[in-house]
Amino acid sequence: MVRKVTVKVPATSANLGPGFDCLGLALGLYNTLTIVERPQGLKIEVQGEGADTLPVDQSNLVIQAARRLFLHAGKQSLDLHIVQNNRIPVSSGLGSSASAVVGGLVGANALLDSPFAPFELLRMASEIEGHPDNVAPALFGDLVLTIGEVDELIVEQIPLPKMLVVIVLPDHELSTHEARRVLPDLVPREDAIFNISRASLLVRALAMGNYGQLSV
């Protein structure tokens, strides 16, 4: 019997406010990924956002993530037909790469009858992305606080009241790698204190629906 899996992964807004590399929020915008076993070799189709730019070969993030999971499971990589129906804009700060990574891992895990728990999937996703702030809310939903390194993460999922999120996108793309290149190596103590205190207030304001505090 040919196995088929469909995965729906949300967009995310990470580095949320002052919560750099630790706070991420899942949004109501989704990429849908369908993975089917096939004996004829790899085939990848991309529809919607990124259809003209995303790779459809071995360098595609979905197949890279899927094969990483097969390797962790000690299984030979399966030949797959992957269809990506993307609604998340690429290189827009909305976690499009995290969606691909999480979708590939969750889909591959389902094809193997789910040998890995969600937290193990998070570790694999964080290894691929290099940080957990986008992949954690993409995997768990809601507002997610992640603390620590990839191999030793503390994860807190924080349910939120319903809210309307408005996203404003620039008219150009900017990869996370390029954006991080301009960051300084050192942060003044006053700036660090400001961010830590506002990050704590941000979580409380979102959790309680007290959005007026977001401007403090």
Side-chain angles (χ1 to χ4, degrees), residues 81-173:
H81 179 194
I82 298 170
V83 179
Q84 295 175 246
N85 190 343
N86 294 339
R87 296 184 61 208
I88 303 172
V90 177
S91 298
S92 62
L94 293 176
S96 61
S97 64
S99 173
V101 169
V102 169
L105 290 173
V106 172
N109 196 45
L111 287 176
L112 298 181
D113 295 324
S114 301
F116 296 106
F119 200 83
E120 294 173 296
L121 297 179
L122 175 62
R123 284 180 175 165
M124 292 184 215
S126 300
E127 288 173 358
I128 298 171
E129 279 280 278
H131 44 86
D133 53 345
N134 277 104
V135 293
L139 186 59
F140 295 113
D142 292 318
L143 176 67
V144 180
L145 169 65
T146 52
I147 300 172
E149 301 300 325
V150 168
D151 59 347
E152 204 169 325
L153 288 172
I154 297 172
V155 178
E156 290 290 334
Q157 184 181 13
I158 305 165
L160 298 177
K162 288 185 178 181
M163 67 177 76
L164 176 64
V165 178
V166 177
I167 299 168
V168 179
L169 297 178
D171 59 0
H172 62 274
E173 296 181 355

Side-chain angles (χ1 to χ4, degrees), residues 159-213:
L160 298 177
K162 288 185 178 181
M163 67 177 76
L164 176 64
V165 178
V166 177
I167 299 168
V168 179
L169 297 178
D171 59 0
H172 62 274
E173 296 181 355
L174 179 63
S175 70
T176 300
H177 175 73
E178 290 299 318
R180 284 173 177 263
R181 287 179 60 187
V182 304
L183 296 176
D185 293 329
L186 298 176
V187 176
R189 183 177 65 180
E190 292 80 6
D191 291 346
I193 293 171
F194 182 94
N195 265 32
I196 292 169
S197 63
R198 269 44 177 203
S200 303
L201 181 62
L202 173 72
V203 172
R204 181 65 176 172
L206 289 174
M208 300 302 295
N210 188 0
Y211 304 133
Q213 289 185 328

